[in-house]
Amino acid sequence: MKRLYRSTRNRMLGGVCAGLGEHLDVDPTIIRLVWVAVTLLSIGIGIIVYIIAWVIVPEEPGAGETAPVQLVRPGPDQQN
């Protein structure tokens, strides 16, 4: 079963619409447009639902991980 995650690659705010688009295999722009339309037609309820989803839906695994940084100290023959 495919899990719903907030996207870290194609996010505008919290990654909710992009994550939903990836989950449903739909372009995230379509999801964003539908979300805006629902928000405007429901007098702002979509904003509240987005914030709740931002808090509840986990970020996709591997998000925020970077390659380890190796610090190299200059040797006695290397001067700055």
Side-chain angles (χ1 to χ4, degrees), residues 2 8 17 21-22 25 41 43 53-54 57 60 63-64 77-78:
K2 198 173 179 183
T8 57
C17 291
E22 290 173 7
D25 292 326
L41 294 174
I43 312 170
W54 193 343
V57 177
E60 65 185 335
D77 59 334
Q78 297 173 339

Side-chain angles (χ1 to χ4, degrees), residues 28-68:
T29 304
I30 302 295
I31 302 292
R32 290 179 187 118
L33 290 173
V34 169
W35 203 290
V36 168
V38 168
T39 300
L40 293 175
L41 294 174
S42 65
I43 312 170
I45 298 297
I47 294 172
I48 296 168
V49 173
Y50 188 91
I51 292 170
I52 292 170
W54 193 343
V55 171
I56 292 176
V57 177
E59 204 166 64
E60 65 185 335
E65 292 180 6
T66 58

